[in-house]
Amino acid sequence: MPAAEMSELLAAIAQRVGPAGLLTDPADTAAYAEDWRRLYQGRTQAVVRPANTAELAQVMALAAKARIAIVPQGGNTSMVGGAVPAEDGSQIVLSLARMRTIRAVDPVDMTMTLDAGVTLKAAQDAAAAAGCMLPLSISSEGTAQIGGVLATNAGGNNTVRYGNARDLVLGLEVVLADGAVWNGLRRLRKDNTGYCLRQLFVGAEGTLGIITAAVLKLVPRPREVAVALCAVASVEAALALFARFQAHDPAAIQAFEYMSGPGMGFVLRHIPGASLPLAAPADHYVLIELATPRPEAGLRASLEAVLGQAMEDGLVADAALAESEAQRAAIWRLREEHSEAQKREGASIKNDVSVPVSRVPELIARASAACLALLPGVRPVPFGHMGDGNIHFNLEQPPDMDGAAFLACDHEIMDAVNAVVRDLDGSFSAEHGVGRLKPYMMAEWRGGAELAMMQRIKAALDPAGLLNPGKVLP
Ligand code: 2HG
Ligand code: ZN
């Protein structure tokens, strides 16, 4: 777009959103143009930060008229470059960060209605203050915002029990590519009135419309929570332990997370204050969280019983049970700091993949062998949500290799892992989405009728291709 037209557009936008709503100084916009992993250094002439849906809708109408592309952005925690603008400076970033009102929490309906820019942590806290729980938990929840969490259909630690973000959405408010506002903020448990439009926008990564507010389902707040960190004999032992907890009391399992020895080692090395509450480091770990809203359920005794038997049977070598909220948080921190610790260790290639739960051991064994054959010295760091089959099969650079040279192998490594995933009936993206990193995989994995339907939906809702171009679709 010629400079004169761009400054005319920005002046019109400034009129609608005021000085607090528009950043154009490169010093202010730089942070919005780079992703958390630093895979992409984009450039943008403006970051627009509307204060409410009405302002945002006006911005979208102006952008549509000027035919300028919009990149919606929440907490900018994408692992696949889903919220970065292109390098050529042709796209405007639309930040939802100023839209952070919690509109209502209703403990009878068990719902909350909130703006897209509320962080997931703030939403969880508001639900807890009303005696409920928002059962979505991800490592980046302090920064990630509801709009992004929904646009990417985030999964996280509690999927094993409550499903993904998609399963928690009752209603949405969405601003469309032309600036029209769809108010679908219904909070009904039953509503069969035609196509389920809200689910189109969940997981579309901002390519079909901008989510500006949502109604989310809440669940009863747990009365008892029991957490343990275990050293387990192998990935197979971790799976066997999961099966035992399922047989014992499946409704109590709230999280079942796997971690490897190398991943835990990075956390202990790089994260200040992290310490292992076990006698000795191990090659494999499991974090189990049980929770229930039922009174006097005796979860702690359940945990001890299952783990005690598993120790006798040689599945578990050692276990630490949290005795306090502080200990529970410290155990969770060992898991949640995995990404940060891996980043501090060096360059990494991520594979956010899923397979049927029963095939997780095979995934880890075969993908490790495939990557080591391709690049001797590479360090597999598998971890993640074993209870739902989503493993972050990440690779850390060989210690003596240049980081950039390692990252240049990303397609080769991802393709090798994906070949195993495909063989195990899995998916190449379990919870992080497709973003800018993986559209090239779409034709192979979702080609034919499926991709054609996606392209027709995109063309219907965003005919000019102005919403988050270059993401999701090849
Ligand atoms: C997690 O489960 C996140 O902690 C990030 O999904 C995973 O860094 C990763 O690959
Ligand atoms: Zn994850």
Side-chain angles (χ1 to χ4, degrees), residues 156 335 385 390 392 431-432:
R335 164 62 187 86
H385 319 293
N390 171 198
H392 300 301
E431 61 172 6
H432 295 168

Side-chain angles (χ1 to χ4, degrees), residues 136-372:
L136 188 74
S137 169
I138 60 178
S139 300
S140 57
E141 62 201 20
T143 311
Q145 298 169 11
I146 292 300
V149 159
L150 294 176
T152 57
N153 184 28
N157 306 329
N158 298 340
T159 299
V160 60
R161 175 133 160 206
Y162 305 100
N164 299 310
R166 184 183 296 296
D167 300 295
L168 301 172
V169 185
L170 289 177
L172 279 190
E173 179 186 80
V174 177
V175 176
L176 302 176
D178 60 0
V181 180
W182 170 48
N183 184 338
L185 288 174
R186 296 189 283 269
R187 51 183 209 280
L188 305 172
R189 305 284 167 159
K190 287 186 168 174
D191 175 25
N192 278 345
T193 50
Y195 303 142
C196 184
L197 294 177
R198 67 179 185 279
Q199 295 295 0
L200 266 186
F201 298 99
V202 178
E205 302 184 35
T207 61
L208 299 179
I210 316 287
I211 297 173
T212 50
V215 181
L216 302 179
K217 281 184 208 167
L218 303 176
V219 300
R221 193 150 69 129
R223 286 199 173 90
E224 270 183 45
V225 180
V227 170
L229 178 74
C230 307
V232 293
S234 59
V235 189
E236 286 78 5
L239 181 65
L241 189 61
F242 179 61
R244 287 187 182 202
F245 276 102
Q246 276 197 308
H248 185 82
D249 185 359
I253 304 172
Q254 184 153 276
F256 193 94
E257 299 279 313
Y258 169 80
M259 289 162 278
S260 70
M264 186 67 90
F266 296 156
V267 173
L268 298 173
R269 185 177 319 156
H270 296 296
I271 303 299
S275 75
L276 190 66
L278 300 172
D283 291 336
H284 309 276
Y285 301 91
V286 157
L287 188 166
I288 305 140
E289 180 165 283
L290 305 181
T292 179
R294 284 176 287 132
E296 291 161 41
L299 287 187
R300 164 85 191 203
S302 282
L303 197 55
E304 279 174 1
V306 176
L307 291 179
Q309 188 60 53
M311 275 176 151
E312 265 179 44
D313 298 341
L315 295 176
V316 171
D318 191 7
L321 275 61
E323 305 287 350
S324 63
E325 183 49 43
Q327 283 183 12
R328 179 180 163 226
I331 288 179
W332 265 111
R333 201 160 162 251
L334 295 173
R335 164 62 187 86
E336 294 194 322
E337 293 289 359
H338 260 61
S339 303
E340 182 61 36
Q342 234 200 308
K343 193 175 179 179
R344 293 188 193 178
E345 177 71 15
S348 61
I349 295 172
K350 293 182 189 287
N351 297 278
D352 164 43
V353 299
S354 57
V355 293
V357 179
S358 58
R359 311 199 83 172
V360 167
E362 206 181 336
L363 165 74
I364 292 178
R366 287 178 57 187
S368 299
C371 292
L372 282 162

Side-chain angles (χ1 to χ4, degrees), residues 32-64:
Y32 296 82
E34 188 181 50
D35 65 313
W36 185 82
R37 292 178 65 189
R38 303 203 188 103
L39 293 181
Y40 303 101
Q41 277 78 40
R43 199 168 63 77
T44 187
Q45 300 187 52
V47 175
V48 184
R49 295 160 39 99
N52 52 50
T53 303
E55 282 187 15
L56 190 145
Q58 291 183 56
V59 171
M60 291 303 289
L62 288 169

